[in-house]
């Protein structure tokens, strides 16, 4: 997706050297050894999110812009929100982006759960895979698929238990990755979907209603440890710490401190309180893969777990609760 770029950790990667590694899939119904039992009715289920990840990877393993898999991924998202669409609470934000590969049509999807307080909490993830990696077996299990599934499962919770506080919007954004090349990440070639959406919401007044915008990125890693992302809003970092403590997950956060170039930045630049919830340390690092599994053919389903998705889902829902308690 976007991590570990030029400004990230000063790393340089011999990207995409393994061109024929197979997709490692497990049966959707096979529980991970780390999976937790499904919680009480109406609660977030890490196992359900894991199963959704496997389903998405089966129907759309490669989801780079303009590919058949990209279209299937979009259909996958839409089919899980037919109830919201029937109520007029599902929005397709279509736009054309000028990229180094030419003009590309992209789509953001916004799912709205109206609350009882004036204001919006926004949860964001990208769903596409990396365009420069379109010619290798790159599937993005952790990098896009798992967090797409995470938000779909959070949507299941919100459908059963509509927000009592602020409205909650789920955003599945497109074009998060750089298009020209893996090391060509720049302000103009990256974050196409969120840059477009931040500008659109600035123009129509939505931006001023956002109380917090939370990005979910690469947080299904079996070896989960969510970073302290220094270019997030400080009070939201405090909220994350409290949410992890309240849910018994403090051991899974803040092992590393760093700034990240991610989907929170277009909104941060416009004054929105933002939090990047990401585990940027994914898999062992070697000379060939200095960023571990990230942006390699090794980013497959066997590298993630239902347990990590449960932890991430618990933390997100607790953060929503805590944000609602703020004055």
């Amino acid at each position: 997706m976007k991590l570990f770029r030029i400004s990230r950790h000063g790393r340089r990667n011999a990207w995409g050297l393994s061109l024929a590694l197979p997709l490692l899939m497990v049966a959707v119904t096979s529980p991970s050894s780390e999976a937790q039992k499904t919680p009480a009715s109406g609660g977030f289920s890490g196992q359900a999110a894991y199963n959704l990840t496997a389903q998405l990877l089966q129907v759309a393993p490669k989801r780079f812009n303009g590919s058949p898999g990209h279209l299937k991924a979009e259909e996958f998202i839409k089919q899980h929100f037919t109830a919201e669409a029937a109520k007029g609470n599902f929005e397709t934000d279509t736009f054309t982006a000028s990229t180094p590969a030419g003009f590309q049509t992209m789509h953001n999807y916004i799912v709205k759960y109206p609350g009882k307080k004036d204001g919006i909490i926004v949860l964001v993830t990208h769903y596409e895979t990396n365009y420069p990696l379109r010619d290798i077996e790159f599937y993005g299990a952790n990098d896009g698929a798992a967090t797409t599934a995470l938000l779909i499962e959070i949507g299941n919770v919100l459908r059963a238990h509509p927000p009592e506080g602020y409205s909650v919007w789920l955003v599945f954004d497109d074009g998060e990755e750089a298009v020209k090349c893996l090391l060509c990440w720049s302000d103009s070639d990256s974050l196409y979907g969120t840059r477009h959406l931040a500008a659109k919401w600035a123009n129509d007044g939505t931006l001023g209603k956002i109380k917090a915008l939370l990005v979910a990125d690469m947080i299904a890693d079996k070896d989960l440890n969510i970073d302290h992302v220094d270019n997030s809003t400080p009070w939201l970092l405090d909220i994350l710490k409290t949410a992890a403590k309240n849910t018994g997950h403090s051991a899974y956060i803040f092992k590393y401190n760093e700034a990240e170039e991610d989907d929170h930045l277009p909104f941060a630049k416009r004054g929105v309180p933002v939090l990047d919830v990401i585990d940027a340390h994914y898999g062992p690092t070697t000379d060939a893969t200095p960023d571990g599994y990230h942006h390699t053919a090794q980013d497959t389903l066997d590298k993630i777990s239902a347990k990590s998705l449960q932890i991430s889902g618990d933390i997100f829902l607790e953060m929503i609760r805590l944000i609602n308690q703020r004055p």
Side-chain angles (χ1 to χ4, degrees):
M1 112 180 30
K2 61 271 162 196
L3 323 173
F4 323 121
R5 287 183 246 284
I6 296 173
S7 65
R8 218 163 217 81
H9 308 299
R11 297 173 177 171
R12 295 296 181 270
N13 195 333
W15 300 101
L17 294 180
S18 54
L19 302 180
L21 291 175
L23 174 61
L24 297 174
M25 286 298 238
V26 296
V28 172
T29 55
S30 298
S32 162
S33 61
E34 293 183 303
Q36 295 185 350
K37 293 180 179 179
T38 302
S41 177
F44 180 92
S45 168
Q47 185 63 56
Y50 180 86
N51 291 346
L52 284 166
T53 305
Q55 291 166 13
L56 176 55
L57 289 172
Q58 286 177 340
V59 300
K62 299 173 74 170
R63 305 175 298 282
F64 61 88
N65 194 266
S67 68
H70 189 265
L71 178 60
K72 289 180 180 178
E74 294 177 334
E75 292 171 349
F76 185 86
I77 293 168
K78 288 186 281 188
Q79 76 183 24
H80 283 91
F81 295 106
T82 55
E84 287 72 24
K87 296 179 180 179
N89 290 331
F90 185 96
E91 177 184 343
T92 300
D93 172 38
T94 302
F95 64 101
T96 301
S98 177
T99 81
F103 290 101
Q104 294 186 351
T105 300
M106 299 185 182
H107 303 92
N108 296 322
Y109 298 104
I110 302 118
V111 190
K112 302 177 181 180
Y113 295 91
K116 297 180 179 179
K117 292 170 63 175
D118 186 19
I120 307 163
I121 299 170
V122 183
L123 277 55
V124 180
T125 185
H126 81 103
Y127 62 90
E128 95 283 11
T129 50
N130 189 282
Y131 187 82
L133 295 178
R134 63 194 180 279
D135 294 327
I136 75 162
E137 301 305 301
F138 174 67
Y139 305 107
N142 192 33
D143 192 358
T147 46
T148 297
L150 178 87
L151 261 61
I152 291 173
E153 175 60 9
I154 288 175
N156 290 335
V157 175
L158 294 172
R159 185 179 305 119
H161 304 281
E164 292 290 327
Y166 298 123
S167 297
V168 178
W169 291 8
L170 308 179
V171 173
F172 301 85
D173 73 271
D174 203 356
E176 184 262 3
E177 304 280 11
V179 170
K180 184 177 181 180
C181 70
L182 286 170
L183 297 179
C184 298
W185 178 273
S186 68
D187 289 343
S188 61
D189 184 20
S190 67
L191 309 181
Y192 291 96
T194 45
R195 284 193 288 123
H196 168 80
L197 197 58
K200 177 181 178 179
W201 283 353
N203 289 332
D204 69 14
T206 300
L207 218 61
K209 300 176 183 178
I210 298 176
K211 300 301 181 180
L213 182 137
L214 315 177
V215 173
D217 197 357
M218 294 180 68
I219 49 174
D221 181 4
K222 279 184 176 179
D223 183 22
L224 181 66
N225 201 290
I226 295 167
D227 299 338
H228 184 287
V229 177
D230 298 336
N231 53 358
S232 294
T233 300
W235 68 261
L236 280 170
L237 287 166
D238 293 339
I239 289 274
L240 172 55
K241 183 177 180 179
T242 302
K245 180 180 178 181
N246 291 354
T247 54
H249 300 319
S250 294
Y252 300 97
I253 68 166
F254 293 175
K255 182 178 179 180
Y256 301 101
N257 285 54
E258 54 209 357
E260 294 291 346
E261 296 176 27
D262 210 341
D263 274 323
H264 62 306
L265 294 183
F267 298 93
K269 291 175 181 178
R270 295 177 182 271
V272 175
V274 298
L275 178 67
D276 191 20
V277 184
I278 183 171
D279 178 356
H281 300 262
Y282 178 39
T285 59
T286 67
D287 289 342
T289 56
D291 287 324
Y293 304 138
H294 178 245
H295 279 169
T296 75
Q298 296 294 326
D299 184 5
T300 45
L301 188 65
D302 60 307
K303 308 303 192 307
I304 70 171
S305 75
K307 177 181 177 181
S308 293
L309 283 162
Q310 186 69 55
I311 292 165
S312 298
D314 290 346
I315 288 174
F316 266 96
L317 290 170
E318 179 64 6
M319 283 194 293
I320 291 172
R321 190 185 72 83
L322 292 171
I323 293 166
N324 273 298
Q325 290 182 347
R326 282 174 55 85

